[in-house]
Amino acid sequence: MSEDKYPSESGRRRFVKGVVGSAALAGVGVGGASSVNLATQPTGGGGGPTPFVGITNTGGPAPRGMPYIPLELDDEGYLRGVWPEAETVTEAGQTYDVARTELGGQTYSSEWFQYCGRQQAAGVQPAADQDNYFQSVGSPSYNWQAEELSEGDRLRLDHFEDYETWGNEIGDEGVGKPAETTWRSQGTEGVLPVTLIRSKRIEEKANQGGEVGEWYSAASVQGTIAYLNVCTHFCCVPGYKDSPDSPQYNAENGIYCQCHQSTYDPFEPSFETFIALPRPD
Ligand code: FES
């Protein structure tokens, strides 16, 4: 059983940079969201009211959850994010590209990730040529990951083998084992930070039926989920079981955003609609 410590110094520095950078982005994001007009947005950008499934926002100023990324497993045991085939659609007088499919009873699309400046990331382009594997970050917050993986290594399901017992010094053991990754970001400017977690809680919910069960049985792989780790408040990068401050906000077994104390529950899906921002293309 690994004994992970608090986030490394590099993790904290990354956080501070995130705060500064996100302040500018947030101004764009909030204004853009409220002024999106389907009749005047640039052709090819997509955006507008978008139903999505996210991890649930449980506290703080964040307005909604962070979007899940449905998972699949390849023949060699590597985890991959689902990215639907890109298509050109015409809706409400607009012609634009979108990667969209029906999955787990929901409409999953590339527009789920068009917020907080990520609508400008190359990987969010519906037709962007990416392999959809998750790559380990260079300075992960978790000791197991720093010891076993180098920057750029792909994540496999068996990296999470001890998920039923794994723990660190934050919260309880056996809640769920995480990894910090990037996705659809290889060789591009705009990074998409993604957290993977494997947990018994997801396995149980995937078997429970109903809307939640249908979603998890389609979007998770053997109890493993992924979500875009960009706070919907002012776009910081939150942490799962990685902050000594999180117990004050009842988030030691969940996700805590150090910027303004928003909290999220990665094991509870919320079915919501938000205003996706148009891509600049
Ligand atoms: S950016 Fe404000 S709570 Fe996360």
Side-chain angles (χ1 to χ4, degrees):
M1 190 179 313
S2 51
E3 289 290 321
D4 278 3
K5 295 230 159 48
Y6 297 156
S8 61
E9 276 308 301
S10 63
R12 291 182 197 283
R13 276 199 298 276
R14 206 168 58 236
F15 232 108
V16 172
K17 272 199 304 200
V19 176
V20 174
S22 66
L25 288 174
V28 173
V30 173
S34 59
S35 63
V36 164
N37 179 336
L38 285 173
T40 58
Q41 72 191 51
T43 300
T50 303
F52 76 104
V53 190
I55 66 168
T56 299
N57 171 226
T58 51
R64 62 179 183 276
M66 297 189 283
Y68 280 111
I69 296 160
L71 294 181
E72 57 190 11
L73 197 63
D74 79 3
D75 294 343
E76 296 172 358
Y78 288 94
L79 290 157
R80 208 162 46 188
V82 172
W83 192 259
E85 196 73 27
E87 56 179 343
T88 302
V89 299
T90 301
E91 288 170 352
Q94 280 286 307
T95 299
Y96 60 96
D97 291 341
V98 66
R100 185 189 286 166
T101 191
E102 297 302 311
L103 189 149
Q106 312 296 323
T107 302
Y108 166 60
S109 85
S110 48
E111 293 177 310
W112 287 23
F113 313 112
Q114 291 182 197
Y115 70 98
C116 271
R118 262 60 187 193
Q119 71 275 10
Q120 297 174 11
V124 168
Q125 291 287 328
D129 185 20
Q130 292 283 341
D131 62 21
N132 291 316
Y133 289 100
F134 300 96
Q135 301 192 322
S136 184
V137 298
S139 304
S141 300
Y142 310 109
N143 283 354
W144 83 262
Q145 191 178 351
E147 287 163 9
E148 291 182 35
L149 293 167
S150 302
E151 184 172 9
D153 283 353
R154 293 175 174 182
L155 272 291
R156 293 190 313 270
L157 186 62
D158 63 15
H159 285 131
F160 300 88
E161 229 167 14
D162 58 343
Y163 70 107
E164 293 183 76
T165 54
W166 181 87
N168 58 6
E169 292 178 357
I170 314 284
D172 301 322
E173 296 178 349
V175 175
K177 183 177 180 181
E180 293 174 335
T181 74
T182 61
W183 182 59
R184 293 181 64 80
S185 307
Q186 200 173 8
T188 72
E189 291 279 306
V191 170
L192 303 180
V194 170
T195 300
L196 299 175
I197 305 176
R198 187 175 186 188
S199 171
K200 283 182 290 188
R201 298 183 185 189
I202 299 295
E203 284 177 326
E204 287 161 9
K205 288 188 177 173
N207 292 325
Q208 78 178 25
E211 189 176 36
V212 170
E214 188 179 355
W215 170 251
Y216 278 141
S217 52
S220 66
V221 168
Q222 297 180 38
T224 313
I225 48 153
Y227 58 89
L228 183 67
N229 194 28
V230 176
C231 185
T232 59
H233 180 223
F234 277 178
C235 313
C236 287
V237 174
Y240 163 78
K241 278 170 78 72
D242 82 344
S243 168
D245 298 333
S246 58
Q248 288 176 53
Y249 301 90
N250 298 318
E252 66 272 26
N253 290 321
I255 293 156
Y256 170 72
C257 185
Q258 297 198 24
C259 290
H260 314 95
Q261 290 70 55
S262 284
T263 56
Y264 300 86
D265 181 353
F267 312 119
E268 190 63 49
S270 61
F271 302 87
E272 305 182 62
T273 295
F274 82 116
I275 307 294
L277 299 180
R279 299 185 311 274
D281 57 290

